[in-house]
């Protein structure tokens, strides 16, 4: 890969980051805080949170088996998606390459940051081909976006193709592993030391059942994480989020039970959908959802909405014509969906 200094925007490389009050006394024990213009009353909410989320990172490190200095925590994965654009991509000059279809925020953040976004279609099995991605790159391509398991298709990208991209692209490769807890494939965060140009994303929103607290993660070598911390807002993760994250991360066995239950339900739902005459195909999945090709996704989607059941209509997404994306819910929620679809079928006869 190119050197990090070659890849980073010059103004970011030379940036003097904001120095928060809580950073300046780091390493010392303090009990009187008269430095940050805080109100001394209404404890504990009167104090700014730890700007580097030290205690949370300790637990993340233990659970994810990644060194603390290689962990960034952000306000949802959206912050971790936006930061690489701000760090590496010059507006109006640089571009990024991504698989298509995939998670929509990659392209949204590109548009917000005035970065040319180059989607490369997956094949009919929703698999990427490294050569196609690499051919879409030029001297101004700074990032390649991959999502595995992918959204909305649900499948893992072939590992050898991802590795080929990592080994042949001289910029930054970002692998979003938001759904990796539902897959049995080895995660790329375990291979950070092999690929200095790798950033891996993860989240508390999926397997951990903490979408409401908005806590995203990025894993990369220390020098890249230092850049994330340099550019992020000073107190980007609030105290309530940090508190709830500590509580959740302290009991990984509960999360493991949820994942096991969801995987069993996933298997049951895929089988049930496969037997529905209105379902033409269920695509293989490694996530907590599946993509199903229906006879008429728009009509079926609208019927479900009227029943108070919300799935995701993906029919206008590339390669997803007449497809619905179905999240695995509780057994009772899943049964209600199946009952509604069977009722719809009976009305079509």
């Amino acid at each position: 890969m190119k050197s990090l200094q070659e890849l980073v925007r010059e103004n970011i490389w030379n940036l003097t980051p904001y120095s928060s009050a809580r950073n300046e006394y780091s390493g010392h024990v303090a009990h009187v805080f008269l430095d940050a213009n805080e109100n001394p009353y209404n404890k504990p909410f009167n104090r700014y949170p730890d700007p580097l989320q030290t205690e949370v990172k300790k637990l993340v490190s233990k659970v994810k088996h990644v060194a603390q200095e290689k962990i960034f925590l952000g306000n949802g994965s959206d912050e971790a998606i936006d930061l690489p654009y701000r760090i590496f991509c010059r507006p109006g000059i640089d571009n990024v390459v991504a698989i298509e279809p995939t998670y929509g925020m990659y392209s949204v953040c590109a548009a917000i940051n005035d970065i040319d976004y180059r989607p490369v279609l997956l094949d009919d099995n929703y698999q990427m081909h490294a050569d196609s991605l690499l051919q879409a790159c030029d001297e101004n391509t700074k990032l390649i976006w991959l999502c595995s398991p992918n959204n909305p298709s649900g499948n893992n990208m072939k590992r050898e193709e991802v590795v080929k991209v990592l080994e042949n692209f001289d910029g930054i490769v970002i692998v979003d592993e938001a759904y990796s807890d539902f897959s049995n494939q080895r995660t790329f965060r375990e291979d950070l030391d092999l690929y200095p140009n790798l950033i891996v994303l993860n989240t508390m929103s999926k397997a951990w059942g903490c979408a409401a607290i908005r806590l995203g993660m990025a894993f990369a070598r220390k020098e890249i994480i230092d850049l994330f911390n340099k550019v992020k807002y000073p107190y980007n993760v609030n105290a309530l989020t940090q508190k709830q994250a500590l509580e959740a991360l302290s009991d990984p066995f509960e999360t493991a039970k949820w994942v096991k239950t969801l995987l069993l339900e996933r298997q049951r739902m895929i089988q049930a959908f496969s037997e529905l005459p209105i379902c033409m195909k269920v695509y293989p999945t490694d996530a907590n959802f599946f993509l199903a090709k229906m006879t008429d996704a728009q009509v079926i989607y609208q019927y479900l909405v009227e029943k108070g059941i919300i799935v995701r209509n993906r029919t206008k997404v590339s390669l997803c014509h007449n497809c619905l994306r179905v999240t695995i819910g509780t057994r009772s929620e899943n049964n209600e969906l199946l009952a509604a679809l069977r009722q719809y079928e009976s009305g079509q006869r």
Side-chain angles (χ1 to χ4, degrees), residues 186-212:
R186 177 181 172 86
T187 62
F188 275 93
R189 75 169 181 272
E190 298 171 74
D191 294 332
L192 288 176
D193 293 338
L194 297 178
Y195 307 109
N197 60 334
L198 172 63
I199 298 173
V200 176
L201 305 184
N202 209 254
T203 179
M204 293 290 290
S205 296
K206 309 304 178 184
W208 293 88
C210 288

Side-chain angles (χ1 to χ4, degrees), residues 259-322:
V259 169
K260 184 178 180 180
T261 300
L262 289 170
L263 291 179
L264 290 172
E265 275 296 289
R266 184 181 77 184
Q267 182 180 359
R268 184 178 76 91
M269 288 295 288
I270 289 173
Q271 180 62 37
F273 257 70
S274 299
E275 295 170 358
L276 292 172
I278 57 171
C279 179
M280 301 170 68
K281 182 176 182 178
V282 178
Y283 292 92
T285 182
D286 300 284
N288 67 327
F289 62 86
F290 61 88
L291 191 69
K293 192 173 189 67
M294 313 300 286
T295 52
D296 192 332
Q298 182 60 45
V299 171
I300 295 169
Y301 171 77
Q302 194 58 46
Y303 167 82
L304 291 173
V305 168
E306 291 167 1
K307 293 284 187 180
I309 301 170
I310 310 302
V311 296
R312 198 81 151 103
N313 185 3
R314 300 283 76 188
T315 192
K316 294 182 180 179
V317 173
S318 301
L319 303 179
C320 297
H321 180 63
N322 265 335

Side-chain angles (χ1 to χ4, degrees), residues 59-218:
L59 273 182
V60 171
S61 175
K62 182 179 179 181
V63 170
K64 299 291 185 179
H65 309 292
V66 177
Q68 286 184 60
E69 65 269 17
K70 297 179 180 180
I71 300 171
F72 168 81
L73 299 180
N75 184 359
S77 291
D78 295 338
E79 182 179 12
I81 290 168
D82 185 56
L83 281 174
Y85 285 104
R86 296 164 62 193
I87 292 168
F88 297 106
C89 299
R90 296 167 295 175
I93 300 173
D94 291 327
N95 65 76
V96 303
V97 169
I99 58 175
E100 172 73 16
T102 194
Y103 181 44
M105 279 305 295
Y106 312 145
S107 63
V108 170
C109 285
I112 290 170
N113 287 282
D114 191 21
I115 305 300
D116 182 26
Y117 183 85
R118 300 181 176 182
V120 177
L121 277 179
L122 300 172
D123 65 22
D124 290 341
N125 295 314
Y126 296 114
Q127 278 298 335
M128 58 169 276
H129 296 278
D131 289 341
S132 298
L133 288 165
L134 295 168
Q135 287 169 11
C137 300
D138 62 23
E139 67 274 10
N140 289 327
T141 306
K142 291 294 187 67
L143 311 173
I144 292 181
W145 290 97
L146 306 175
C147 187
S148 183
N150 189 31
N151 177 8
S153 56
N155 61 304
N156 280 312
M157 297 296 102
K158 290 181 179 177
R159 190 175 188 84
E160 60 270 21
E161 292 298 306
V162 177
V163 168
K164 188 173 182 180
V165 172
L166 283 164
E167 292 179 344
N168 290 277
F169 180 54
D170 60 7
I172 301 296
V173 179
I174 305 172
V175 181
D176 189 340
E177 295 186 333
Y179 301 97
S180 60
D181 293 289
F182 303 100
S183 168
N184 58 14
Q185 181 169 291
R186 177 181 172 86
T187 62
F188 275 93
R189 75 169 181 272
E190 298 171 74
D191 294 332
L192 288 176
D193 293 338
L194 297 178
Y195 307 109
N197 60 334
L198 172 63
I199 298 173
V200 176
L201 305 184
N202 209 254
T203 179
M204 293 290 290
S205 296
K206 309 304 178 184
W208 293 88
C210 288
I213 73 172
R214 308 306 301 130
L215 186 65
M217 310 171 193

